[in-house]
Amino acid sequence: MGLPELKNKIQQQVESADEKILKIVSSVFDNYYKDEGTTDGIINELLEISENDYKEGLTEPYTKILKESKAIYFGK
């Protein structure tokens, strides 16, 4: 069974499911995304950390880092 067929089958099952099954399915999805971490969740978490670092003055301007990197790797 391919992905489109599987999605169609699940959609049909969800349409006829009772409340108990829907709660179970919802819980499975919630736990899966919490455990695995979605790309959006990871990106948002990293952005939040970066923003906090910036607010606390813990970051350096990228131009300074770029200049230092060029000096190290290209002698400029």
PDB file of all heavy atoms in Angstrom, residues 57-74 76:
ATOM      1  N   GLY A  57      23.243  39.870  25.320  1.00  0.00           N
ATOM      2  CA  GLY A  57      24.537  40.344  24.857  1.00  0.00           C
ATOM      3  C   GLY A  57      25.578  39.240  24.701  1.00  0.00           C
ATOM      4  O   GLY A  57      26.785  39.498  24.786  1.00  0.00           O
ATOM      5  N   LEU A  58      25.137  38.020  24.465  1.00  0.00           N
ATOM      6  CA  LEU A  58      26.055  36.891  24.368  1.00  0.00           C
ATOM      7  C   LEU A  58      26.464  36.568  22.932  1.00  0.00           C
ATOM      8  O   LEU A  58      27.191  35.617  22.702  1.00  0.00           O
ATOM      9  CB  LEU A  58      25.417  35.645  25.000  1.00  0.00           C
ATOM     10  CG  LEU A  58      25.025  35.767  26.468  1.00  0.00           C
ATOM     11  CD1 LEU A  58      24.287  34.522  26.931  1.00  0.00           C
ATOM     12  CD2 LEU A  58      26.262  35.999  27.326  1.00  0.00           C
ATOM     13  N   THR A  59      26.005  37.362  21.982  1.00  0.00           N
ATOM     14  CA  THR A  59      26.323  37.084  20.583  1.00  0.00           C
ATOM     15  C   THR A  59      27.297  38.122  20.049  1.00  0.00           C
ATOM     16  O   THR A  59      27.444  39.211  20.599  1.00  0.00           O
ATOM     17  CB  THR A  59      25.058  37.104  19.716  1.00  0.00           C
ATOM     18  OG1 THR A  59      24.436  38.392  19.828  1.00  0.00           O
ATOM     19  CG2 THR A  59      24.082  36.034  20.149  1.00  0.00           C
ATOM     20  N   GLU A  60      27.981  37.746  18.961  1.00  0.00           N
ATOM     21  CA  GLU A  60      28.895  38.665  18.286  1.00  0.00           C
ATOM     22  C   GLU A  60      28.347  38.935  16.898  1.00  0.00           C
ATOM     23  O   GLU A  60      27.723  38.052  16.299  1.00  0.00           O
ATOM     24  CB  GLU A  60      30.284  38.033  18.164  1.00  0.00           C
ATOM     25  CG  GLU A  60      30.964  37.808  19.498  1.00  0.00           C
ATOM     26  CD  GLU A  60      32.389  37.297  19.321  1.00  0.00           C
ATOM     27  OE1 GLU A  60      33.070  37.727  18.382  1.00  0.00           O
ATOM     28  OE2 GLU A  60      32.778  36.451  20.122  1.00  0.00           O
ATOM     29  N   PRO A  61      28.606  40.109  16.359  1.00  0.00           N
ATOM     30  CA  PRO A  61      28.143  40.392  14.998  1.00  0.00           C
ATOM     31  C   PRO A  61      28.766  39.416  14.010  1.00  0.00           C
ATOM     32  O   PRO A  61      29.934  39.053  14.136  1.00  0.00           O
ATOM     33  CB  PRO A  61      28.629  41.820  14.740  1.00  0.00           C
ATOM     34  CG  PRO A  61      28.927  42.392  16.078  1.00  0.00           C
ATOM     35  CD  PRO A  61      29.285  41.241  16.953  1.00  0.00           C
ATOM     36  N   TYR A  62      27.994  38.991  13.030  1.00  0.00           N
ATOM     37  CA  TYR A  62      28.503  38.022  12.070  1.00  0.00           C
ATOM     38  C   TYR A  62      29.681  38.588  11.282  1.00  0.00           C
ATOM     39  O   TYR A  62      30.557  37.847  10.852  1.00  0.00           O
ATOM     40  CB  TYR A  62      27.393  37.545  11.130  1.00  0.00           C
ATOM     41  CG  TYR A  62      27.069  38.500  10.011  1.00  0.00           C
ATOM     42  CD1 TYR A  62      27.680  38.360   8.772  1.00  0.00           C
ATOM     43  CD2 TYR A  62      26.162  39.534  10.185  1.00  0.00           C
ATOM     44  CE1 TYR A  62      27.394  39.233   7.742  1.00  0.00           C
ATOM     45  CE2 TYR A  62      25.869  40.400   9.170  1.00  0.00           C
ATOM     46  CZ  TYR A  62      26.492  40.255   7.945  1.00  0.00           C
ATOM     47  OH  TYR A  62      26.214  41.121   6.933  1.00  0.00           O
ATOM     48  N   THR A  63      29.723  39.917  11.106  1.00  0.00           N
ATOM     49  CA  THR A  63      30.830  40.510  10.353  1.00  0.00           C
ATOM     50  C   THR A  63      32.161  40.303  11.071  1.00  0.00           C
ATOM     51  O   THR A  63      33.176  40.068  10.435  1.00  0.00           O
ATOM     52  CB  THR A  63      30.589  42.011  10.114  1.00  0.00           C
ATOM     53  OG1 THR A  63      30.285  42.652  11.355  1.00  0.00           O
ATOM     54  CG2 THR A  63      29.426  42.228   9.148  1.00  0.00           C
ATOM     55  N   LYS A  64      32.140  40.367  12.382  1.00  0.00           N
ATOM     56  CA  LYS A  64      33.361  40.137  13.160  1.00  0.00           C
ATOM     57  C   LYS A  64      33.805  38.676  13.020  1.00  0.00           C
ATOM     58  O   LYS A  64      34.989  38.391  12.804  1.00  0.00           O
ATOM     59  CB  LYS A  64      33.120  40.480  14.630  1.00  0.00           C
ATOM     60  CG  LYS A  64      34.330  40.239  15.503  1.00  0.00           C
ATOM     61  CD  LYS A  64      34.044  40.545  16.962  1.00  0.00           C
ATOM     62  CE  LYS A  64      35.269  40.194  17.807  1.00  0.00           C
ATOM     63  NZ  LYS A  64      34.982  40.228  19.220  1.00  0.00           N
ATOM     64  N   ILE A  65      32.864  37.772  13.110  1.00  0.00           N
ATOM     65  CA  ILE A  65      33.175  36.355  12.995  1.00  0.00           C
ATOM     66  C   ILE A  65      33.684  36.048  11.585  1.00  0.00           C
ATOM     67  O   ILE A  65      34.660  35.314  11.406  1.00  0.00           O
ATOM     68  CB  ILE A  65      31.941  35.500  13.340  1.00  0.00           C
ATOM     69  CG1 ILE A  65      31.562  35.712  14.807  1.00  0.00           C
ATOM     70  CG2 ILE A  65      32.183  34.025  13.041  1.00  0.00           C
ATOM     71  CD1 ILE A  65      30.225  35.142  15.194  1.00  0.00           C
ATOM     72  N   LEU A  66      33.047  36.623  10.574  1.00  0.00           N
ATOM     73  CA  LEU A  66      33.459  36.415   9.194  1.00  0.00           C
ATOM     74  C   LEU A  66      34.872  36.941   8.960  1.00  0.00           C
ATOM     75  O   LEU A  66      35.700  36.280   8.326  1.00  0.00           O
ATOM     76  CB  LEU A  66      32.463  37.096   8.250  1.00  0.00           C
ATOM     77  CG  LEU A  66      32.669  36.903   6.761  1.00  0.00           C
ATOM     78  CD1 LEU A  66      32.571  35.427   6.395  1.00  0.00           C
ATOM     79  CD2 LEU A  66      31.637  37.695   5.980  1.00  0.00           C
ATOM     80  N   LYS A  67      35.163  38.114   9.489  1.00  0.00           N
ATOM     81  CA  LYS A  67      36.495  38.708   9.336  1.00  0.00           C
ATOM     82  C   LYS A  67      37.555  37.820   9.996  1.00  0.00           C
ATOM     83  O   LYS A  67      38.619  37.559   9.414  1.00  0.00           O
ATOM     84  CB  LYS A  67      36.514  40.102   9.956  1.00  0.00           C
ATOM     85  CG  LYS A  67      37.802  40.849   9.781  1.00  0.00           C
ATOM     86  CD  LYS A  67      37.695  42.251  10.379  1.00  0.00           C
ATOM     87  CE  LYS A  67      39.001  42.993  10.249  1.00  0.00           C
ATOM     88  NZ  LYS A  67      38.938  44.330  10.820  1.00  0.00           N
ATOM     89  N   GLU A  68      37.270  37.315  11.194  1.00  0.00           N
ATOM     90  CA  GLU A  68      38.208  36.445  11.891  1.00  0.00           C
ATOM     91  C   GLU A  68      38.407  35.130  11.134  1.00  0.00           C
ATOM     92  O   GLU A  68      39.531  34.629  11.033  1.00  0.00           O
ATOM     93  CB  GLU A  68      37.720  36.159  13.313  1.00  0.00           C
ATOM     94  CG  GLU A  68      37.769  37.365  14.224  1.00  0.00           C
ATOM     95  CD  GLU A  68      37.092  37.130  15.565  1.00  0.00           C
ATOM     96  OE1 GLU A  68      36.492  36.057  15.776  1.00  0.00           O
ATOM     97  OE2 GLU A  68      37.156  38.052  16.411  1.00  0.00           O
ATOM     98  N   SER A  69      37.337  34.592  10.587  1.00  0.00           N
ATOM     99  CA  SER A  69      37.429  33.351   9.825  1.00  0.00           C
ATOM    100  C   SER A  69      38.267  33.531   8.562  1.00  0.00           C
ATOM    101  O   SER A  69      39.086  32.680   8.215  1.00  0.00           O
ATOM    102  CB  SER A  69      36.041  32.834   9.445  1.00  0.00           C
ATOM    103  OG  SER A  69      35.303  32.529  10.597  1.00  0.00           O
ATOM    104  N   LYS A  70      38.051  34.635   7.864  1.00  0.00           N
ATOM    105  CA  LYS A  70      38.844  34.910   6.670  1.00  0.00           C
ATOM    106  C   LYS A  70      40.314  35.036   7.013  1.00  0.00           C
ATOM    107  O   LYS A  70      41.169  34.549   6.264  1.00  0.00           O
ATOM    108  CB  LYS A  70      38.338  36.204   5.988  1.00  0.00           C
ATOM    109  CG  LYS A  70      37.075  36.018   5.208  1.00  0.00           C
ATOM    110  CD  LYS A  70      36.707  37.327   4.513  1.00  0.00           C
ATOM    111  CE  LYS A  70      35.453  37.170   3.690  1.00  0.00           C
ATOM    112  NZ  LYS A  70      35.076  38.433   3.017  1.00  0.00           N
ATOM    113  N   ALA A  71      40.611  35.692   8.140  1.00  0.00           N
ATOM    114  CA  ALA A  71      42.006  35.855   8.542  1.00  0.00           C
ATOM    115  C   ALA A  71      42.644  34.495   8.834  1.00  0.00           C
ATOM    116  O   ALA A  71      43.799  34.253   8.473  1.00  0.00           O
ATOM    117  CB  ALA A  71      42.091  36.751   9.773  1.00  0.00           C
ATOM    118  N   ILE A  72      41.906  33.612   9.457  1.00  0.00           N
ATOM    119  CA  ILE A  72      42.441  32.289   9.806  1.00  0.00           C
ATOM    120  C   ILE A  72      42.639  31.420   8.554  1.00  0.00           C
ATOM    121  O   ILE A  72      43.684  30.823   8.368  1.00  0.00           O
ATOM    122  CB  ILE A  72      41.500  31.567  10.798  1.00  0.00           C
ATOM    123  CG1 ILE A  72      41.531  32.287  12.154  1.00  0.00           C
ATOM    124  CG2 ILE A  72      41.901  30.100  10.964  1.00  0.00           C
ATOM    125  CD1 ILE A  72      40.469  31.808  13.122  1.00  0.00           C
ATOM    126  N   TYR A  73      41.612  31.372   7.698  1.00  0.00           N
ATOM    127  CA  TYR A  73      41.621  30.427   6.592  1.00  0.00           C
ATOM    128  C   TYR A  73      42.188  30.989   5.287  1.00  0.00           C
ATOM    129  O   TYR A  73      42.662  30.228   4.448  1.00  0.00           O
ATOM    130  CB  TYR A  73      40.216  29.877   6.336  1.00  0.00           C
ATOM    131  CG  TYR A  73      39.723  29.071   7.498  1.00  0.00           C
ATOM    132  CD1 TYR A  73      38.754  29.563   8.366  1.00  0.00           C
ATOM    133  CD2 TYR A  73      40.254  27.800   7.777  1.00  0.00           C
ATOM    134  CE1 TYR A  73      38.303  28.820   9.449  1.00  0.00           C
ATOM    135  CE2 TYR A  73      39.830  27.057   8.858  1.00  0.00           C
ATOM    136  CZ  TYR A  73      38.856  27.578   9.680  1.00  0.00           C
ATOM    137  OH  TYR A  73      38.416  26.835  10.767  1.00  0.00           O
ATOM    138  N   PHE A  74      42.161  32.296   5.128  1.00  0.00           N
ATOM    139  CA  PHE A  74      42.624  32.880   3.882  1.00  0.00           C
ATOM    140  C   PHE A  74      43.746  33.892   4.079  1.00  0.00           C
ATOM    141  O   PHE A  74      44.246  34.462   3.127  1.00  0.00           O
ATOM    142  CB  PHE A  74      41.466  33.556   3.121  1.00  0.00           C
ATOM    143  CG  PHE A  74      40.340  32.605   2.821  1.00  0.00           C
ATOM    144  CD1 PHE A  74      39.137  32.703   3.495  1.00  0.00           C
ATOM    145  CD2 PHE A  74      40.494  31.608   1.882  1.00  0.00           C
ATOM    146  CE1 PHE A  74      38.091  31.830   3.223  1.00  0.00           C
ATOM    147  CE2 PHE A  74      39.455  30.726   1.606  1.00  0.00           C
ATOM    148  CZ  PHE A  74      38.248  30.851   2.268  1.00  0.00           C
ATOM    149  N   LYS A  76      43.599  36.834   5.261  1.00  0.00           N
ATOM    150  CA  LYS A  76      43.192  38.200   4.904  1.00  0.00           C
ATOM    151  C   LYS A  76      42.680  38.929   6.095  1.00  0.00           C
ATOM    152  O   LYS A  76      42.098  38.483   6.983  1.00  0.00           O
ATOM    153  CB  LYS A  76      42.109  38.154   3.814  1.00  0.00           C
ATOM    154  CG  LYS A  76      42.593  37.558   2.535  1.00  0.00           C
ATOM    155  CD  LYS A  76      41.480  37.535   1.522  1.00  0.00           C
ATOM    156  CE  LYS A  76      41.964  36.930   0.227  1.00  0.00           C
ATOM    157  NZ  LYS A  76      40.961  36.834  -0.777  1.00  0.00           N
TER     158      LYS A  76
END
